[in-house]
Amino acid sequence: MAPILKSPDELQIMREAGRIVAVAHEEMRLAIQPGVTTKDLDTIALTVLGDHGAEPCFLGYAPGEHPPFPATITASINQELVHGIPSDNRVLEEGDIIGIDVACFHQGFVGDAAFTHPVGDVSRSAERLLRATESALTAAIDASVVGNRISDVAKATMKRAGRLGYSVAREYTGHGVGRSMHEEPQVPNWWHSRRSKHKWEDCDLQVGMTYAIEPMLIAGRPDLMELEDGWTVVTKDGSLTAHFEHTVAITEDGPAILTLP
Ligand code: MG
């Protein structure tokens, strides 16, 4: 299926949706410290979205076999890769790293972004993982130019992660973003060889394409499983993970990040 291209006016609305997400990120970053619960952070995000007249995309989201997601953010701590469910019982501890994903609807369009943040002082290895994941996101954004293909974006993530000594989540990908949270194309963090079991459609990058790039880096083996809550994805070996995401647009002047404050 062909990607849905956005007009400059539509991009302007998407920039505003992205800005609201970025403001929610900033408010949560300021609140992250030992003793805070993931539910507290969820409340902050819901308030920011409400203050801007935006609505959470994840709340009630129930694709496939998943139960409806019960919150505004996903909050994933340490070995949790993505899709952690906020809870009053989940208290942040010194040394944790927490990944938070937020997406909102604003005037019919979606903004979607995620970051991972240290809780108090964290280990050197956790710091390294955070920097590497951000670096992989930067590499993928830099590859988001006309003349490249989606496979070039995926390979940029994969190569940067590999060079820094990390594996990437293969089963979870970025995605087109627009009037819907998930559009074509999928934006993988990894590109298949001829014999691999995961395969994605490739496509040329075109002006007006908008998609979320979301590298998920793993300090250990990239084998994942879903917990019984039907959402939380964790590494099987318990190794540390991090996740950063921006929604970007392909423009004549290069990649434009839409999820900035
Ligand atoms: Mg997201």
Side-chain angles (χ1 to χ4, degrees):
M1 221 166 78
I4 301 168
L5 304 181
K6 283 37 167 223
S7 70
D9 286 348
E10 290 174 326
L11 283 185
Q12 204 44 48
I13 302 173
M14 288 189 66
R15 235 179 245 281
E16 182 56 22
R19 192 184 72 82
I20 296 166
V21 166
V23 171
H25 281 194
E26 286 192 332
E27 293 288 322
M28 286 187 283
R29 247 187 231 111
L30 291 172
I32 289 171
Q33 59 173 315
V36 167
T37 70
T38 51
K39 181 70 184 170
D40 294 332
L41 299 173
D42 187 63
T43 302
I44 290 170
L46 182 60
T47 303
V48 170
L49 266 51
D51 287 348
H52 290 82
E55 284 173 23
C57 297
F58 300 156
L59 190 63
Y61 183 60
E65 303 283 291
H66 295 274
F69 195 81
T72 297
I73 66 169
T74 69
S76 311
I77 299 171
N78 298 336
Q79 80 283 1
E80 297 168 352
L81 180 80
V82 284
H83 304 166
I85 299 173
S87 161
D88 284 324
N89 300 322
R90 200 65 199 274
V91 182
L92 299 185
E93 291 176 25
E94 180 94 19
D96 285 341
I97 57 172
I98 177 169
I100 296 178
D101 198 341
V102 191
C104 80
F105 291 111
H106 173 73
Q107 294 180 9
F109 284 90
V110 172
D112 185 3
F115 66 100
T116 303
H117 202 72
V119 181
D121 286 328
V122 301
S123 66
R124 293 278 293 278
S125 56
E127 267 174 31
R128 244 191 100 240
L129 173 64
L130 296 183
R131 282 202 302 273
T133 310
E134 269 197 290
S135 169
L137 176 56
T138 301
I141 292 171
D142 290 346
S144 295
V145 292
V146 172
N148 269 351
R149 312 194 83 202
I150 281 295
S151 53
D152 295 307
V153 178
K155 287 172 190 168
T157 304
M158 177 176 77
K159 283 182 186 159
R160 180 67 58 89
R163 190 154 62 73
L164 295 171
Y166 297 98
S167 44
V168 294
R170 296 184 175 192
E171 297 94 323
Y172 295 87
T173 71
H175 47 88
V177 176
R179 290 187 179 274
S180 158
M181 182 162 61
H182 295 115
E183 292 182 349
E184 294 295 318
Q186 283 188 293
V187 185
N189 295 311
W190 173 82
W191 201 251
H192 46 80
S193 61
R194 220 180 294 168
R195 290 162 63 189
S196 36
K197 81 178 164 173
H198 300 291
K199 288 195 167 63
W200 294 279
E201 292 280 316
D202 206 356
C203 80
D204 290 327
L205 302 185
Q206 305 166 61
V207 169
M209 275 175 77
T210 47
Y211 52 76
I213 304 173
E214 42 184 326
M216 303 158 204
L217 267 59
I218 300 169
R221 294 189 50 79
D223 304 316
L224 305 169
M225 61 182 183
E226 199 175 85
L227 299 186
E228 281 177 5
D229 63 19
W231 279 104
T232 313
V233 177
V234 300
T235 51
K236 280 188 183 168
D237 66 5
S239 59
L240 213 55
T241 69
H243 176 210
F244 281 85
E245 175 185 24
H246 272 307
T247 302
V248 302
I250 307 296
T251 78
E252 275 155 17
D253 305 321
I257 301 175
L258 301 179
T259 35
L260 293 175

